[in-house]
Amino acid sequence: MTALADAVRAGDRRCLARAITLVESTRADHREEAAALLDELLPATGGATRVGISGAPGAGKSTFIEALGLHLVDAGHEVAVLAVDPSSTRGGGSILGDKTRMEELSRSAHAYIRPSPSKGTLGGVARRTREAMLVCEATGFDVVLVETVGVGQSEVAVAGMVDLFLLLLAPGAGDDLQGVKRGIVELADLVVVNKADGALADLARHTAGDYGNALHLLRPRTDGWSARVLSCSALIGEGIGEVWAAVEEFMELARTSGGLVARRGEQARDWMWSEVSETLLERLRADPRVRADVNGLEAEVVHGRTSPTAAARQLLERLSD
Amino acid sequence: MTALADAVRAGDRRCLARAITLVESTRADHREEAAALLDELLPATGGATRVGISGAPGAGKSTFIEALGLHLVDAGHEVAVLAVDPSSTRGGGSILGDKTRMEELSRSAHAYIRPSPSKGTLGGVARRTREAMLVCEATGFDVVLVETVGVGQSEVAVAGMVDLFLLLLAPGAGDDLQGVKRGIVELADLVVVNKADGALADLARHTAGDYGNALHLLRPRTDGWSARVLSCSALIGEGIGEVWAAVEEFMELARTSGGLVARRGEQARDWMWSEVSETLLERLRADPRVRADVNGLEAEVVHGRTSPTAAARQLLERLSD
């Protein structure tokens, strides 16, 4: 582990991939090695700006991330792009699996694109992405972009591991937002209306204005920072610099106010406890005495034939049988 | 238990109070009796319209709930008012403890006001309120209002136990909403701007308009229903009838669309699983092998000296020591 940790800290890309494959493994012995590796790497982590990016299908997320990533690389940053997508079941298992989605960025020596782990619970996928983020930071990446698909609970998980949460929208009225799950708008520190070019330019500005007014009515996620709305065109590369400038302004505020340290501390504590309860639930579900009729009990509860309290007691009693 | 269950079903108020005290007890033997009681009562539950009411301090929640409750009683309803407030530590332990808050309603023979259980985790308090709700339904209450304070996570818990979630606001701009926790606006099926009387009447209408526009940009919590904004004056009793008419319209839609059955089924399943994980976590935290240094480990994690994964593993290993 120490050798691998050293190689990762030295910035060896092949070892980075090996390390991430290790933390993504669900094998018990691998989990143990991963925990040891992470503890070794921990002191070398925390140096990156962590940005979560979510958006409805059709908002142009891949084009935006490629444009933002290339902008950052040109500015001398080392950029890692990770993804959380529990729904993903494809081979590479990812919304990022299709390399053609970010062809140019994926060819850059200063960018690393990692597909979402293909299977597992949201908790599992999120855990592995969190750990992959730490490995990337230890390797020297100073910007980590965590993409999520905007249609599941994964946004909450991603907001729980990043410093700033960015919501990408296509120009248009609220109906276009149906693809974005409820609650996500209120998670956003930064809302970006993409596709502000050609025929959609005016509509994009109009949409940005609407959200500016709406966000004024929502409580900001970060104290001292009121969520901002910008528009850009990832296609022609317009407004990307302004988006990153807003991110840096946010980070500057979070660093000086102490909010960054506080948020990361809370995130780490929540992460520990979700690890604990995820594991306890996994053990319960995997217990043969429980597995036998958990589905039956669930159905009983859903159809109101057994009270949730009683059903929970039955499941728990099985453990002590 | 059967005798108590019969008395509850017969509408005996003294037994109602005894039954709720039982479900609120944390004593192991009481929990067992409570589970048995709930299973007996279960077939007699589900008949009520379940409304969650949240609002920032100063929105006039108690005045609103009293006005709404009296309106419902006049219309021939039997109204139970419960509360979820884990922060509450007062004697009666409740945001509803102070009877003077709803003097007239609390004197009505057709209303029952139950303070929030005074201590315990949010999970614990929410569980007991859910169970108290079932007991009230079995007693024959056809409307259950669940109040929450609008400043904690309890809103999500309440939204998880009611059919419709109502957010009460005072007239004014977004800044007045600082008291309402982020995410709550997006939980609301119905937003009501209170205090639409006297000098504030115009501002209230203006505020309602702003939220109408904002909610248009947020995804509705309930399919087929777009969150609505109304204004009222609980003080002079204006607009209360319109608020309840909207609730009934919502319920009608939810019943005919099958959405009500579906939501309650999901709520019951989620409830079962939160019961299970709450209990597993309680057991872990109570375990002497864990309790000893859980705080120390938590601090290690918060300050980045131990990775959350490793800390979680250590806590779990203690159990198998």
Side-chain angles (χ1 to χ4, degrees):
Chain A
M1 280 310 106
T2 312
L4 182 55
D6 292 340
V8 166
R9 274 189 296 254
D12 180 321
R13 291 297 176 93
R14 193 176 295 100
C15 292
L16 165 67
R18 267 187 52 216
I20 292 184
T21 306
L22 178 65
V23 299
E24 286 183 353
S25 168
T26 50
R27 264 178 51 185
D29 55 334
H30 287 171
R31 294 299 311 152
E32 214 155 309
E33 290 171 33
L37 176 69
L38 287 168
D39 263 6
E40 279 218 41
L41 294 179
L42 200 61
T45 65
T49 294
R50 305 165 175 175
V51 178
I53 298 178
S54 177
K61 273 203 306 301
S62 3
T63 320
F64 175 77
I65 292 176
E66 167 144 281
L68 179 60
L70 291 170
H71 170 86
L72 291 169
V73 165
D74 290 342
H77 293 285
E78 300 281 323
V79 183
V81 182
L82 307 171
V84 172
D85 178 14
S87 66
S88 154
T89 49
R90 267 167 286 154
S94 173
I95 49 181
L96 290 172
D98 176 6
K99 284 287 182 191
T100 63
R101 277 178 71 242
M102 302 182 188
E103 218 174 332
E104 214 182 324
L105 185 62
S106 60
R107 278 200 308 266
S108 163
H110 303 284
Y112 176 75
I113 300 181
R114 181 75 182 190
S116 173
S118 56
K119 37 191 159 3
T121 62
L122 170 59
V125 171
R127 166 174 63 198
R128 287 171 269 159
T129 303
R130 276 200 202 90
E131 296 177 349
M133 181 171 73
L134 297 183
V135 175
C136 289
E137 289 182 348
T139 311
F141 291 94
D142 66 331
V143 175
V144 179
L145 306 176
V146 182
E147 175 181 8
T148 177
V149 282
V151 295
Q153 297 168 291
S154 39
E155 282 61 37
V156 177
V158 169
M161 67 178 82
V162 297
D163 305 322
L164 176 144
F165 192 82
L166 185 157
L167 173 62
L168 192 72
L169 297 173
D175 304 347
D176 291 336
L177 206 64
Q178 293 307 310
V180 175
K181 195 173 164 267
R182 180 177 45 74
I184 293 181
V185 175
E186 290 191 61
L187 283 178
D189 297 300
L190 196 57
V191 172
V192 177
V193 182
N194 190 18
K195 304 187 176 179
D197 49 51
L200 290 176
D202 289 345
L203 182 56
R205 264 183 295 280
H206 185 71
T207 305
D210 289 348
Y211 280 91
N213 296 331
L215 287 169
H216 172 60
L217 300 174
L218 304 178
R219 186 183 188 190
R221 170 169 175 259
T222 306
D223 297 339
W225 173 268
S226 37
R228 195 171 303 176
V229 185
L230 299 172
S231 62
C232 76
S233 166
L235 191 65
I236 62 177
E238 230 171 55
I240 299 295
E242 288 70 9
V243 168
W244 190 251
V247 171
E248 285 185 319
E249 186 185 335
F250 173 94
M251 291 301 287
E252 179 56 26
L253 172 90
R255 279 195 199 89
T256 50
S257 70
L260 186 64
V261 171
R263 170 172 290 174
R264 286 184 171 185
E266 280 170 35
Q267 288 175 332
R269 192 185 52 238
D270 296 348
W271 176 5
M272 175 185 86
W273 283 113
S274 62
E275 281 273 330
V276 169
S277 49
E278 268 276 324
T279 312
L280 288 170
L281 272 180
E282 277 165 17
R283 287 181 186 175
L284 176 113
R285 285 176 173 280
D287 188 297
R289 294 162 298 180
V290 169
R291 214 170 41 212
D293 44 15
V294 61
N295 295 338
L297 259 176
E298 231 179 7
E300 288 270 307
V301 166
V302 169
H303 296 106
R305 288 191 296 265
T306 305
S307 84
T309 317
R313 292 176 60 82
Q314 287 182 49
L315 283 178
L316 291 161
E317 276 160 9
R318 297 259 158 61
L319 290 183
S320 33
D321 278 356
Chain B
M1 280 312 104
T2 313
L4 182 55
D6 291 341
V8 166
R9 274 187 298 252
D12 180 320
R13 290 296 176 93
R14 193 177 293 101
C15 292
L16 166 67
R18 267 187 51 216
I20 292 184
T21 306
L22 178 67
V23 298
E24 286 183 354
S25 167
T26 50
R27 264 178 48 188
D29 55 333
H30 287 170
R31 295 299 312 152
E32 213 157 306
E33 289 171 36
L37 176 68
L38 287 168
D39 264 7
E40 278 218 43
L41 294 179
L42 200 62
T45 65
T49 294
R50 304 165 175 175
V51 179
I53 299 178
S54 178
K61 272 202 307 300
S62 1
T63 321
F64 175 77
I65 291 175
E66 167 143 283
L68 179 60
L70 291 170
H71 170 85
L72 291 169
V73 165
D74 290 344
H77 292 285
E78 301 279 325
V79 183
V81 182
L82 307 172
V84 173
D85 178 14
S87 67
S88 155
T89 48
R90 267 167 285 156
S94 174
I95 48 179
L96 290 172
D98 175 7
K99 283 287 183 192
T100 62
R101 277 179 71 244
M102 301 183 189
E103 220 176 328
E104 216 184 321
L105 185 61
S106 60
R107 281 200 307 268
S108 164
H110 302 285
Y112 177 75
I113 299 180
R114 181 74 180 189
S116 172
S118 55
K119 39 192 160 355
T121 63
L122 170 59
V125 170
R127 165 173 66 199
R128 287 172 268 160
T129 303
R130 277 201 201 89
E131 296 177 350
M133 180 171 74
L134 296 182
V135 175
C136 289
E137 288 181 348
T139 312
F141 290 93
D142 67 331
V143 176
V144 179
L145 307 176
V146 183
E147 175 181 8
T148 178
V149 282
V151 294
Q153 298 168 293
S154 40
E155 282 62 38
V156 176
V158 169
M161 66 178 84
V162 297
D163 304 321
L164 175 142
F165 192 82
L166 186 158
L167 174 62
L168 192 72
L169 297 174
D175 304 344
D176 291 337
L177 205 65
Q178 293 306 309
V180 174
K181 196 175 163 268
R182 183 175 42 77
I184 292 180
V185 174
E186 291 192 64
L187 283 177
D189 297 301
L190 198 56
V191 173
V192 177
V193 181
N194 191 19
K195 304 187 175 180
D197 49 50
L200 290 176
D202 289 345
L203 183 56
R205 264 183 295 279
H206 186 71
T207 306
D210 289 347
Y211 280 91
N213 297 332
L215 286 169
H216 171 60
L217 299 175
L218 303 178
R219 187 183 187 189
R221 172 170 172 257
T222 305
D223 297 339
W225 172 268
S226 36
R228 193 173 303 178
V229 185
L230 299 171
S231 63
C232 77
S233 165
L235 191 67
I236 63 176
E238 230 171 55
I240 299 295
E242 288 70 11
V243 168
W244 191 251
V247 171
E248 285 185 319
E249 185 185 334
F250 174 94
M251 291 301 286
E252 178 59 26
L253 173 88
R255 279 194 199 90
T256 49
S257 69
L260 186 64
V261 172
R263 170 171 292 175
R264 287 184 170 186
E266 279 169 36
Q267 289 176 333
R269 191 187 52 240
D270 296 345
W271 177 3
M272 177 185 86
W273 283 114
S274 64
E275 280 273 329
V276 170
S277 48
E278 268 276 322
T279 312
L280 288 171
L281 273 179
E282 278 166 17
R283 288 181 185 176
L284 176 110
R285 284 175 172 281
D287 189 296
R289 295 164 297 183
V290 171
R291 213 170 41 209
D293 44 15
V294 60
N295 295 337
L297 260 177
E298 231 179 7
E300 288 271 305
V301 166
V302 169
H303 296 106
R305 288 191 295 267
T306 305
S307 85
T309 318
R313 291 176 61 83
Q314 287 183 48
L315 284 178
L316 291 162
E317 276 159 9
R318 297 259 159 59
L319 290 183
S320 33
D321 279 355

